[in-house]
Amino acid sequence: MPVFVRLSIGVRALVAAGAAVLLAVVIGVVVLLVTGGSDDAASGGGKCGTADVAKGKPVEASSSESDAMSPSYVTDGNPESRWGSAWGDPQTIQVDLGASMPICRVGIKWEKAYATAYDIQLSDDGQQWTAVYSTTTGAGGDVTAGVAGSGRYVRVLLRARATVYGYSIWDIQVNSGAGASTAPSLPPGATTEQLLSYMKPAEASSTRDTSQCTRCDASRVVDQDTATEWVTAEDKTGPAWVRVDLGAVADVRRVELVWGKAYAREYTLEGSWDGDNWTQLSTTDTGTGKVDDVPVTGQARFVRVSMKKGLSGGGYALWEFRIFGTGGAPIAPPGEAEVPSEPYSLVWGDDFDGASGSAPDPKKWVAEVGPGVTGELQYYTNNRNAALDGDGNLVIKAKREVTPGSKCPRDPVTRSTTCQYTSGRLNTNGLYSLTYGRVEARIKVSGTQGLWPAFWMLGADLYTGRATWPNSGEIDIMEHIGREPGISSSALHAAAYHGGDGIGGKYHTGGDLSDNFHTYAVDWRPDKIVFSVDGNAYFTADRAEVEKTRGPWVFDRPFVILLNNAVGGPFPGPPDSRTRLPQDMVVDYVHVYR
């Protein structure tokens, strides 16, 4: 039995004759066509015949409304006879061509009782079927579909009726040959560009699966998640490729490549009907990485980016390979998070009302326990260092306290690697997360050398294990360090910009922020994130600018809220002889508005 390639071709009216060079393929053969040209293929000499190979051939159907509407009428050549089905779904009608042959075009003349959703399928044995045309927006009338495949049997699988009656067809015509004389049509009304590649099968020349890049396979480029990426197996920048199967032939209009740091300087975008024979859609030898938004013109089921030369020896990496157009067999991505509109309302918060010494509300906060993860020197306790003060505040206390059996970076004061300090770190993971809105807290920060109080957010994917840091994203609303008493820092971190390369700003005051309470906030929207202190906006991260100059924007996902009072680490530096402990980070409230 031949190996079939599953193709599903929609219907769309061609634009002006001679307007575009289109791609057509029969299994193993590529033919390049110009609309409005002859039936001869521009390469390979293939030709789609004009003879109706279905005329007079036997026909079977799942049902008939009456003897006067026999299935045989669709191939009898009589324009006044028709087949009509019973009133129900689904239905089928199939033509036996008598022998297997290449099929390049199928025409259907619908009566008023047409199908809105149907497939055209081919088979060699009448048992196993391969779809070569599929639509859910059928509009009846006369449909001519250029297809690519072979088989003895041609079947129309009817899935949804346009009327309360059955299905009715005047005529089914089939043309055989090595190439279609017209480009495959797309569904009537399919004029709105949409994302075609979401969660479609993807393959690559190689993939990486290491402790630094776990499961960095091709499927990551179609998951609409800039926290996951595909990376080549080897750190070299020779030829490599990634391809996506759109599931059906599509009119491809635009390709968006979201590159990792290891991007291709030279690459080609290609299209194919069968996954074996490719036609160039676009090419460049001046790629600059970040986000490439490439307009293309072509029809293909498979789309491939072939990388030829990289900027360095680090291999290649792609966060996303997005393909836009019409037709295909798109899967709708999850709905985008609702963008809040002003005036905002309070939707979540904690005012820390409660008895003195009581623990933070366990329905809102989780205590993280253990050493820090970015070179800090403290050991976070299970709320021994975080408690309400009875006056409407949460107090997170950092103090000198040895935790036996623990391990921290070496303390420069005692020279010990046993954690010499304790503190508290709280998060809302599993209890509350958000995407977009205004997040603010009124805080009196701690303020001595080596301390690092922070109010911030982390991508929830980090806690589920779907993504690692910094891929998951981080939004630092407030970071304060004792050696800069009058400065509050903000930052965004992602895979392409993190640590000292993060994107952020600083708010300068004339005094010491630890002397009084201040309100630290972020206004977070899909297109930008604005940071403020006491209502004074001091830094804005603009999405378009970030994607253009730094890398993927990862801040369209749920984030959880964190509070902590760290000791040591690369940002504040370690405690020294100037450090005075204990020190309190006092939080009046945390509010979320949407």
Side-chain angles (χ1 to χ4, degrees):
M1 181 182 300
V3 177
F4 294 113
V5 177
R6 178 173 296 275
L7 297 174
S8 198
I9 303 173
V11 179
R12 176 181 177 270
L14 293 176
V15 293
V21 177
L22 302 175
L23 180 67
V25 174
V26 178
I27 306 304
V29 179
V30 171
V31 290
L32 194 63
L33 302 167
V34 179
T35 61
S38 70
D39 280 355
D40 291 326
S43 61
K47 186 174 183 178
C48 189
T50 58
D52 179 10
V53 297
K55 187 174 181 179
K57 295 298 193 295
V59 185
E60 295 182 5
S62 55
S63 67
S64 293
E65 183 177 354
S66 69
D67 291 341
M69 297 183 185
S70 167
S72 63
Y73 291 156
V74 301
T75 62
D76 66 357
N78 183 352
E80 297 182 356
S81 63
R82 62 185 174 95
W83 164 72
S85 77
W87 298 11
D89 298 309
Q91 301 288 340
T92 61
I93 184 168
Q94 70 184 53
V95 181
D96 181 357
L97 302 178
S100 183
M101 62 186 72
I103 307 300
C104 53
R105 194 163 49 240
V106 176
I108 302 175
K109 295 183 182 296
W110 292 99
E111 198 259 350
K112 292 181 180 180
Y114 64 89
T116 58
Y118 62 95
D119 300 333
I120 298 175
Q121 303 171 320
L122 305 180
S123 173
D124 257 5
D125 60 3
Q127 301 296 320
Q128 299 185 29
W129 296 91
T130 297
V132 291
Y133 178 103
S134 182
T135 183
T136 58
T137 56
D142 293 353
V143 173
T144 300
V147 302
S150 64
R152 170 176 172 170
Y153 300 89
V154 178
R155 181 172 79 171
V156 184
L157 171 61
L158 305 151
R159 296 184 279 111
R161 289 169 288 156
T163 71
V164 296
Y165 307 104
Y167 300 97
S168 188
I169 296 174
W170 293 107
D171 195 24
I172 294 178
Q173 297 182 358
V174 179
N175 300 127
S176 178
S181 62
T182 60
S185 302
L186 298 173
T191 59
T192 303
E193 179 183 290
Q194 61 182 318
L195 178 65
L196 306 175
S197 52
Y198 175 67
M199 297 308 290
K200 290 299 179 181
E203 299 178 73
S205 52
S206 68
T207 61
R208 187 170 301 189
D209 190 358
T210 66
S211 57
Q212 291 77 32
C213 195
T214 305
R215 299 187 305 279
C216 293
D217 58 73
S219 67
R220 303 306 181 118
V221 302
V222 293
D223 61 3
Q224 198 69 346
D225 186 350
T226 47
T228 63
E229 64 179 331
W230 162 78
V231 182
T232 50
E234 298 180 345
D235 288 329
K236 63 180 183 180
T237 51
W241 53 266
V242 178
R243 78 175 196 178
V244 178
D245 178 358
L246 301 178
V249 171
D251 188 350
V252 181
R253 301 179 181 179
R254 183 166 64 90
V255 173
E256 187 177 82
L257 300 168
V258 184
W259 293 100
K261 288 188 176 181
Y263 65 89
R265 178 79 173 170
E266 182 178 345
Y267 67 87
T268 298
L269 292 169
E270 301 167 298
S272 172
W273 281 16
D274 66 350
D276 293 322
N277 302 277
W278 299 87
T279 291
Q280 179 176 300
L281 301 175
S282 177
T283 189
T284 184
D285 58 4
T286 58
T288 58
K290 308 297 188 295
V291 179
D292 284 343
D293 197 337
V294 186
V296 297
T297 299
Q299 291 188 333
R301 169 176 172 165
F302 299 86
V303 180
R304 179 172 73 182
V305 53
S306 294
M307 290 147 273
K308 302 175 182 178
K309 185 178 180 181
L311 185 66
S312 64
Y316 301 99
L318 269 176
W319 296 105
E320 287 293 304
F321 182 11
R322 300 183 181 124
I323 302 162
F324 297 87
T326 60
I331 299 171
E336 296 180 355
E338 180 184 358
V339 180
S341 57
E342 298 188 45
Y344 288 162
S345 299
L346 179 66
V347 296
W348 184 90
D350 197 340
D351 293 307
F352 302 111
D353 295 322
S356 177
S358 59
D361 187 347
K363 295 181 180 178
K364 297 181 177 179
W365 301 100
V366 176
E368 297 188 26
V369 179
V373 295
T374 55
E376 309 109 274
L377 301 175
Q378 81 292 317
Y379 188 92
Y380 289 124
T381 66
N382 189 13
N383 284 334
R384 287 195 296 107
N385 294 64
L388 307 187
D389 66 359
D391 292 323
N393 301 306
L394 167 70
V395 178
I396 303 177
K397 187 180 296 292
K399 59 184 179 180
R400 295 186 188 275
E401 181 182 25
V402 177
T403 302
S406 63
K407 188 173 180 60
C408 281
R410 188 176 300 277
D411 174 32
V413 177
T414 64
R415 309 304 300 169
S416 174
T417 57
T418 300
C419 299
Q420 300 292 301
Y421 309 88
T422 58
S423 188
R425 172 164 153 164
L426 308 178
N427 69 62
T428 64
N429 178 50
L431 302 173
Y432 182 73
S433 64
L434 73 149
T435 306
Y436 311 140
R438 178 179 176 84
V439 186
E440 70 174 35
R442 186 169 181 266
I443 301 172
K444 182 179 180 183
V445 298
S446 54
T448 191
Q449 170 59 34
L451 261 67
W452 187 6
F455 167 44
W456 50 308
M457 296 190 287
L458 279 172
D461 284 348
L462 178 67
Y463 292 91
T464 64
R466 176 174 172 78
T468 58
W469 189 92
N471 301 26
S472 57
E474 178 178 326
I475 303 173
D476 296 327
I477 305 171
M478 179 279 292
E479 294 181 285
H480 179 263
I481 56 177
R483 60 184 169 84
E484 295 180 344
I487 297 176
S488 174
S489 299
S490 60
L492 299 178
H493 300 277
Y497 40 91
H498 59 270
D501 193 38
I503 300 169
K506 294 181 180 291
Y507 180 79
H508 297 258
T509 68
D512 189 334
L513 287 169
S514 66
D515 287 343
N516 296 290
F517 283 94
H518 296 275
T519 301
Y520 304 91
V522 65
D523 285 279
W524 174 21
R525 300 183 64 82
D527 60 335
K528 63 183 177 181
I529 299 177
V530 182
F531 298 86
S532 64
V533 176
D534 295 331
N536 301 306
Y538 66 93
F539 177 71
T540 297
D542 179 80
R543 177 180 190 148
E545 183 66 16
V546 169
E547 291 187 328
K548 178 180 177 181
T549 61
R550 303 299 296 276
W553 180 268
V554 302
F555 309 103
D556 289 317
R557 67 189 70 246
F559 275 66
V560 302
I561 301 170
L562 295 96
L563 295 164
N564 68 291
N565 194 12
V567 181
F571 190 21
D576 59 21
S577 59
R578 298 169 293 172
T579 302
R580 297 292 179 264
L581 292 174
Q583 285 280 334
D584 293 340
M585 173 184 179
V586 185
V587 185
D588 178 18
Y589 65 79
V590 177
H591 288 169
V592 176
Y593 300 89
R594 286 177 57 85

